[in-house]
Amino acid sequence: MVDLKGQYAGIKERVDASIQEVIDSAAFVNGPEVHAFQKELEDYLGIKHVIPCANGTDALQIALMGLGLKPGDEVITADFTFAATVEVIDLLQLTSVLVDVDPVNFNIDTEAIKKAITPKTKAIIPIHLYGMAANMNAIMDIANEHNLFVIEDNAQGIGATYTGRDGSKLKTGTMGHVGTTSFFPSKNLGCYGDGGAIFTNDDELAHTIRGIVNHGMYKRYHHDVVGVNSRLDSIQAAVLRAKLPKLDSYNDTRRNAARKYSEAFASIEKIITPFVCDSCDCHVFHQYTLRLKGTDRDALAAHLVEKGIPHGIYYPIPLHKQKAYQDTRYKEEDFPITNTLVKEVLSLPMHTELDDEQIDYITKTIIDFVN
Ligand SMILES: *Cc1c(COP(=O)(O)O)cnc(C)c1O
């Protein structure tokens, strides 16, 4: 699904040298590399504060802790996402409220958000799923009207640009009150282990969060709030510093591969290709995900395995049907899109090293099968 070895070949010298520097300096945690990376990511995203942390799941948890939500507060998020998004809500004893998604962009359905709002609702977590920006204009309108926090789960969308109503271009993760991301190796900006970050323009929230990631300490050995230990290590920051200047070109490469896939499938009725935008960079194709109509998705998946083609099914089970998150509040008729998508979606190899020959082989194999 991803080719990290091929990508490494292109940045080996820089990465090896910076890792060696960290080892020589012995500043393994929160060293100068981490601070430099933080600053560079702030500049890239156009945001005042980046707070690095240990992974993307921690980033979400810490964002919720920083906002001071209390047990029983309701947090609305999508039924169709990676479990980390909902996991942290329940872990903090907040009440997760799962809602359906939009069939075109796979992101949280704004009408469903409106229907789910109650007097206890305190926050919305949209996910920029597969790398496609969620409908932030509408989401921010709803949040402003109901006085809710917005936490953008940008683990899959780093580098995507969203066009605001006034035509302004903003990076995903920087429009809500707080944004989070993951630097897991396979993400669009991945390190060589675990890593994550939290973004905000709010000075006070940034200060609170900087304490939370470090045991609730604002002054050494003075613990003002209950915190966690969630840090980015310097070796990971060194890798990320080598990759950040290439993120836009990496994302362009992904978009080009997506365009080629979609062109090949254009006349195939049984395949619905993902939305590809020609006028902006609102999609960074963390995943290239098809919907299959009138074809047995699982039989195709098995056929791909036989043909040596990796694939992924993100995600096979709606969160509201997972044992950990089932709840009598949920009614099947409230999730028609998620319930359909879990049976239809299929993600194809997507990374920075895909070549035309591979795309050709993959698309021909799929077309032969569905026809
Ligand atoms: C990967 C991912 C996360 C979690 O990131 P980790 O670094 O693996 O903890 C959270 N949300 C979404 C949507 C993700 O894809």
Side-chain angles (χ1 to χ4, degrees), residues 80-82 105-107 127-132 156 283 315:
F80 191 60
T81 172
F82 181 53
N105 69 15
F106 305 106
N107 282 322
I127 302 100
H128 304 296
L129 198 76
Y130 302 152
M132 164 94 196
Q156 302 188 4
H283 203 326
Y315 297 91

Side-chain angles (χ1 to χ4, degrees), residues 282-296:
C282 61
H283 203 326
V284 292
F285 288 95
H286 174 61
Q287 299 295 348
Y288 179 87
T289 304
L290 302 173
R291 288 180 64 185
L292 296 153
K293 290 281 178 194
T295 288
D296 182 340

Side-chain angles (χ1 to χ4, degrees), residues 55-57 60 81-82 84-85 127 153 155-156 182 184 187 195 315:
N55 59 67
T57 309
L60 283 163
T81 172
F82 181 53
T85 322
I127 302 100
D153 181 348
Q156 302 188 4
S182 162
F184 186 74
K187 308 283 180 177
Y315 297 91

